[in-house]
Amino acid sequence: MQMLKTHNKAFKIMKRFHYLDHSIGPLIILLGIVRGVVPFIPIVFSKYILSSVIDKQYKEALYYSIAMSLLFCGGCIISEWIKKIVTDKNSELSRKIEDIIHQKPLGLDYESIEDGKVIGSYTSAISALKYKGSYQQLVSKYSELLQSIVSFLVAIGLTLQLCVSVSISEYKILNMVTNPVVCVALILVVILGMMGVTGKAVKWSQNKISELFEVKLDSERRFAYLCRMFRDEEMIKTIQAYEAGKSISNLLKDTSKHIKENYKNEGKYWICENVIKASSGGIIVVLAYSLVAVKVLAGAIGIGAFLKYSQAVIKMNESLLAVIVFNHEIGDIMRYMDKLTEFLDMENKFETGSIPVEKRSDHQYKICFEDVWFKYPGSDEYVLKGVSCEINSNQKSALVGPNGAGKSTFIKLLSRLYEPTKGRITLNGVDIKKYDYKEYLSLFSVVFQDFGLFSFSLGENISSSVELQKKKVKECLTKTGLEKYEDRLDEGLNEMSGLEAYVGRDSSSSEKYSGGEQQKIAIARALYKDGAFVILDEPTAALDPISEYEIYQNFDSLVGNKTCIYISHRMSSCRFCSDIIVLNDGNIVERGNHEQLIKDEKLYCDMWNAQAKYYTAS
Ligand code: ADP
């Protein structure tokens, strides 16, 4: 029952990826048949060759030998040729599947990505694919199964031919022993008995191996992470600064030892299984030769057929054993493949919506937060507590407040990385959930605090694409004060000759962009996207005071008539904004322009004075 379920799952996977290459299925069937039949060519011909030699018909024997060689070689060439095609197609297909896995997180809710579910499942899927769960292995195993079934059917036909051959010996005992019923019963009892023993041994060893599976996958994942740490520039910096190298190396050694022990244990089970398989095979060889010898002695078959029939019995046993072993191996492969399907079956919880967003050149969009409450998944505490506000279009707004007030969360909800737990956010009066997700996102140019630069060329980083409008890229560089790098646009971080890329590094000059420059590149990228809303989360945190001043001075030309929201801890930057929203503990506690808020002498005024004091003191 369990086995049927496993096969059912395996077929579902093959069906799932069948669309990627329709020719693999028929090729696998053809390969299985050819590989199942070809080994019988010498077995069948051996009878004719030996009989001709015994009868001193040497010329005939030579003809049979030539025919056998031609057929056998031809069969082998055809089978290898099909195998090569299948292998190439399979590798191509495996790459396509890997590509599907890599792309999957891009289409999933940010919520599940941030809470680690997706990344955990993604790394398990990749590890599984790497070790045993490849589509290639699955398909190859089914091809081997088909080969064993074909081989078994041909062998059973020849074995039956042996069994029914009538003995004509003068010794009654020989005739009795070689009687067809006795022969069939003998073969059945011995082969089924051996299969029972071997099947149990294989099941036992495979169960033991599967017990090691999760531990093994976990250790391999940990090992891969630790190795990655030594390749990550930022990590290396921290490791060196805190002298953590030794302890990480020890961790790596321990994990490596653990993996080695795991493989050693796995190896022990494999050895036990193989010893039992080899012993049962040996017993069958003895049975096959003895039975055929007695049949020859009883005159049921000629001596020329000795090799043919004994090999047929041996082949029958081998192919039956292969079917049994296959059943267990497929269970093992499917354990890995389950990780893959688990990941690929992950679904989005959020509504994606279908309403198109109205494109407006005047950028007049009205955003409203209507009694928005929000708590992060897995948390009981509300981070936003009934926030209601309207974001004025074509205006610059600042979100300020102490750490943890909920400013970044506000932006995450606005850019649909999360959905409100209660309440709603509307765009021109329609719940933002109802809009087509991609169209809605196209309205926003966001620079997050932890913006990520790609290991591509400067130009590609700004355009977020391999296709870029150079003139527009140059304009964005100029606006953000990076015009000196205009001539570096094409210099390729994308030509990394197989090495791991370093974020923000220009490969031709080997120069690294400073933190401030990287932040400017991220701002230039937002400008290039040209969304109706520009959202900057701590946009100038890494900039020096002069660059920061320049950015704010140029803010009007930077964002034009777009709606701009930015979060900053530097209160001085709020003066550039006509609308300041003050958040505290998940609530909007004040709103107005700088002068009004200072006059109110509340939280904003306190924060302003605290920072002003700090600046004058220093
Ligand atoms: P701010 O940007 O005002 O500093 P945030 O919006 O980043 O504040 O965070 C508000 C609160 O939400 C903080 O208490 C923070 O610890 C919590 N928080 C932020 N991100 C997460 C998260 N992914 N999971 C759980 N809590 C979070």
Side-chain angles (χ1 to χ4, degrees), residues 221-383:
R221 223 168 24 212
R222 182 198 293 238
F223 187 77
Y225 171 70
L226 291 170
C227 291
R228 258 200 325 273
M229 285 178 91
F230 288 115
R231 295 201 305 262
D232 185 311
E233 190 189 11
E234 293 301 320
M235 284 279 182
I236 291 173
K237 209 160 59 186
T238 313
I239 292 169
Q240 283 178 346
Y242 291 91
E243 293 172 15
K246 196 157 177 242
S247 108
I248 295 172
S249 289
N250 286 341
L251 217 56
L252 195 71
K253 261 188 225 151
D254 284 349
T255 314
S256 172
K257 208 167 123 197
H258 201 230
I259 292 175
K260 209 167 122 193
E261 266 165 27
N262 240 313
Y263 276 107
K264 220 162 112 187
N265 286 337
E266 205 180 288
K268 275 187 216 156
Y269 299 125
W270 280 116
I271 289 171
C272 290
E273 182 185 317
N274 285 330
V275 165
I276 293 174
K277 275 197 283 195
S279 313
S280 85
I283 293 171
I284 299 294
V285 169
V286 173
L287 167 82
Y289 283 122
S290 313
L291 182 72
V292 178
V294 175
K295 277 273 188 185
V296 172
L297 281 179
I301 53 171
I303 183 125
F306 181 84
L307 218 53
K308 172 182 158 185
Y309 289 119
S310 46
Q311 285 302 315
V313 179
I314 293 167
K315 273 263 167 242
M316 186 174 73
N317 174 61
E318 276 175 8
S319 41
L320 198 58
L321 189 65
V323 173
I324 290 176
V325 172
F326 165 84
N327 272 322
H328 293 289
E329 282 178 345
I330 210 73
D332 195 28
I333 290 177
M334 286 311 294
R335 265 190 295 277
Y336 286 86
M337 283 240 131
D338 281 348
K339 300 275 168 198
L340 201 107
T341 40
E342 242 169 58
F343 173 63
L344 291 178
D345 288 342
M346 279 188 140
E347 277 176 10
N348 277 337
K349 281 184 263 163
F350 292 172
E351 279 179 45
T352 48
S354 57
I355 303 178
V357 172
E358 187 194 352
K359 306 277 178 301
R360 298 184 63 112
S361 55
D362 59 359
H363 299 314
Q364 285 278 352
Y365 296 98
K366 196 166 125 194
I367 292 262
C368 273
F369 275 59
E370 296 177 4
D371 193 24
V372 170
W373 291 72
F374 178 75
K375 56 182 170 191
Y376 280 98
S379 165
D380 295 329
E381 242 179 82
Y382 278 101
V383 172

Side-chain angles (χ1 to χ4, degrees), residues 12-30:
K12 270 192 189 153
I13 288 184
M14 289 197 272
K15 217 166 118 191
R16 176 178 201 150
F17 296 119
H18 180 62
Y19 77 96
L20 293 172
D21 191 335
H22 293 278
S23 63
I24 285 228
L27 279 169
I28 288 293
I29 294 173
L30 190 64

Side-chain angles (χ1 to χ4, degrees), residues 410-511:
F410 183 97
I411 299 302
K412 284 181 191 166
L413 293 187
L414 181 61
S415 48
R416 276 181 82 177
L417 293 179
Y418 288 93
E419 276 184 358
T421 316
K422 285 193 274 181
R424 63 174 199 157
I425 304 168
T426 59
L427 171 76
N428 294 345
V430 177
D431 193 329
I432 59 172
K433 282 198 275 189
K434 303 222 160 82
Y435 286 108
D436 176 273
Y437 186 64
K438 278 198 176 148
E439 287 217 5
Y440 178 78
L441 283 194
S442 70
L443 291 179
F444 294 89
S445 295
V446 190
V447 181
F448 291 107
Q449 264 178 51
D450 44 0
F451 57 86
L453 290 188
F454 308 125
S455 301
F456 302 152
S457 72
L458 180 62
E460 287 162 347
N461 258 294
I462 291 171
S463 65
S464 305
S465 161
V466 282
E467 283 145 23
L468 52 119
Q469 298 169 33
K470 265 199 180 160
K471 196 167 161 254
K472 196 170 160 193
V473 171
K474 284 183 182 172
E475 276 169 22
C476 297
L477 280 181
T478 311
K479 279 183 183 169
T480 46
L482 289 172
E483 59 272 29
K484 63 178 172 186
Y485 294 134
E486 266 184 18
D487 55 343
R488 282 200 195 170
L489 282 186
D490 298 327
E491 287 176 0
L493 300 179
N494 51 351
E495 293 156 6
M496 282 164 297
S497 50
L499 290 170
E500 285 255 329
Y502 290 129
V503 174
R505 171 165 291 175
D506 185 306
S507 64
S508 60
S509 64
S510 293
E511 257 180 56

Side-chain angles (χ1 to χ4, degrees), residues 110 114-115 374-379 381-384 400-412 418 449 537-538 567 569 583:
Y110 181 74
E114 208 182 38
D115 85 356
F374 178 75
K375 56 182 170 191
Y376 280 98
S379 165
E381 242 179 82
Y382 278 101
V383 172
L384 293 187
V400 295
N403 281 339
K407 303 181 294 290
S408 295
T409 308
F410 183 97
I411 299 302
K412 284 181 191 166
Y418 288 93
Q449 264 178 51
D537 192 350
E538 301 284 1
I567 303 175
H569 281 301
L583 267 176

